[in-house]
Amino acid sequence: MSVSNNAKVYLEAFYSGPKLQDLSAQEVRHALSLAPPPPEGVEVPTVANVEDRQIAVNDGDITVRVYTPSGEGPFPLFVYYHGGGWVIGNLETSDAGCRLLAEQTKRVVVSVDYRLSPEYKFPVPVEDCYAALCWAHEHAAELGAIADDIVVGGDSAGGNLATVMTILSKEQNGPSISAQALIYPVTNLDFTTSSYEQFADGYGLDRDLMIWFGNYYVNDQKEYKHPHVSPLLYEDVSNLPPAIIITAENDVLRDDGISYRHKLQQAGVHVTYTELEGSIHGYFSNMILFAEETKHTVNAIAEFLQTIPTNVSN
């Protein structure tokens, strides 16, 4: 086990203030909103076009951000769900990563600003994410995209939501999904795995912080076992899309990714797995400090997507 120098710098800053689990969701969001802008000289990855769109969901509207890569379309689609424990995070925290994904995969990326807990507990975030997936499929042509070639992906809680989208699409005969790209995903709200024990405190996403997130997300303890909360508990994962699962070495969620990998493989689903040595949870939404890890992750996803068959009919 090792921790990279960048991770050490991040962790020192992270633990210089109060622990997030000692604050309210609103206090954490406010503190994150006060974070300084990127330092001068930091280049934001460029794409051909970025556009925010409002889409209708149950009892309201949400925003999606559409990233169009350079080149000549139409392009396949990539629907992306940001991390943040279903409680924090937004379009900005995943902006740099989504720009890289658009350019490296040559896909139109639709980043989803689903409503957050505790104001909107489960299943609202799931419903918002599925509505956005269906919207992207239905409006693909006007986005310069291909409706029949959709990848879903996300980091952390967003990885959880992405794989739940594959389950919902299977259950509801929804949009056909070509692949799922899961970056240190939450797959089981069980807090007792070996990685939860090994990295319980001091690595950014503490076990107590993950419990804090989970308690805000669900309505009661029974929902921890709901397969749309903990997809590892979904009985039949056969015929789900091929997956790339990327975990961080020093992360309470590492075993979540490993266990879901094994479950998919046992059901005959093709899985590519990568563990980033020395890395910690949250690197994908902190590209300024973790540029190398973020680029490595995006490149791995792009290479994986080149190997999978699409659902496009010739």
Side-chain angles (χ1 to χ4, degrees), residues 39-53:
E40 291 185 13
V42 174
E43 295 184 5
V44 175
T46 58
V47 293
N49 189 60
V50 180
E51 178 186 6
D52 286 357
R53 301 278 293 269

Side-chain angles (χ1 to χ4, degrees), residues 69-88:
S70 59
E72 185 176 347
F75 303 97
L77 275 163
F78 195 128
V79 181
Y80 193 85
Y81 305 104
H82 68 77
W86 310 278
V87 175
I88 58 178

Side-chain angles (χ1 to χ4, degrees), residues 8-273:
K8 290 176 181 177
V9 171
Y10 172 83
L11 292 172
E12 183 177 354
F14 184 84
Y15 287 109
S16 65
K19 289 191 173 184
L20 300 190
Q21 59 264 37
D22 294 333
L23 305 174
S24 69
Q26 295 76 16
E27 287 171 329
V28 172
R29 292 176 197 154
H30 177 69
L32 294 176
S33 72
L34 301 177
E40 291 185 13
V42 174
E43 295 184 5
V44 175
T46 58
V47 293
N49 189 60
V50 180
E51 178 186 6
D52 286 357
R53 301 278 293 269
Q54 295 293 118
I55 68 170
V57 294
N58 188 31
D59 297 326
D61 298 287
I62 62 172
T63 304
V64 297
R65 181 167 293 174
V66 181
Y67 301 84
T68 305
S70 59
E72 185 176 347
F75 303 97
L77 275 163
F78 195 128
V79 181
Y80 193 85
Y81 305 104
H82 68 77
W86 310 278
V87 175
I88 58 178
N90 51 44
L91 296 176
E92 300 305 327
T93 55
S94 59
D95 182 73
C98 285
R99 288 170 179 268
L100 281 177
L101 281 169
E103 277 303 313
Q104 292 300 108
T105 66
K106 291 302 177 186
R107 288 175 175 265
V108 171
V109 174
V110 178
S111 181
V112 182
D113 198 20
Y114 54 91
R115 290 174 289 182
L116 299 174
S117 303
E119 295 86 350
Y120 299 96
K121 286 179 170 285
F122 175 79
V124 174
V126 169
E127 293 170 347
D128 286 357
C129 290
Y130 191 68
L133 172 64
C134 294
W135 178 89
H137 179 261
E138 293 165 4
H139 293 80
E142 69 184 77
L143 300 177
I146 302 168
D148 294 328
D149 188 357
I150 302 177
V151 169
V152 295
D155 58 293
S156 194
N160 168 276
L161 291 164
T163 202
V164 170
M165 293 305 101
T166 70
I167 293 170
L168 278 176
S169 287
K170 175 182 175 179
E171 291 176 338
Q172 301 185 17
N173 195 28
S176 183
I177 298 173
S178 300
Q180 49 185 322
L182 313 177
I183 304 168
Y184 40 74
V186 183
T187 66
N188 190 14
L189 284 183
D190 172 13
F191 311 102
T192 62
T193 64
S194 294
S195 58
Y196 265 107
E197 294 295 329
Q198 189 174 6
F199 306 109
D201 185 57
Y203 293 87
L205 183 61
D206 296 339
R207 176 167 54 189
D208 287 346
L209 178 56
M210 194 62 217
I211 293 171
W212 181 87
F213 282 131
N215 287 339
Y216 269 139
Y217 183 44
V218 300
N219 297 280
D220 56 56
Q221 296 296 310
K222 293 180 182 178
E223 288 185 343
Y224 278 140
K225 303 300 182 183
H226 194 296
H228 293 171
V229 172
S230 295
L232 184 66
L233 305 182
Y234 189 67
E235 290 188 6
D236 182 12
V237 297
S238 63
N239 299 317
L240 290 185
I244 179 170
I245 300 174
I246 302 170
T247 61
E249 179 184 10
N250 307 290
D251 183 5
V252 293
L253 297 182
R254 184 191 63 196
D255 290 353
D256 276 44
I258 293 171
S259 295
Y260 199 62
R261 166 202 183 186
H262 292 155
K263 177 149 188 145
L264 290 174
Q265 288 177 328
Q266 289 167 3
V269 177
H270 172 67
V271 181
T272 293
Y273 176 79

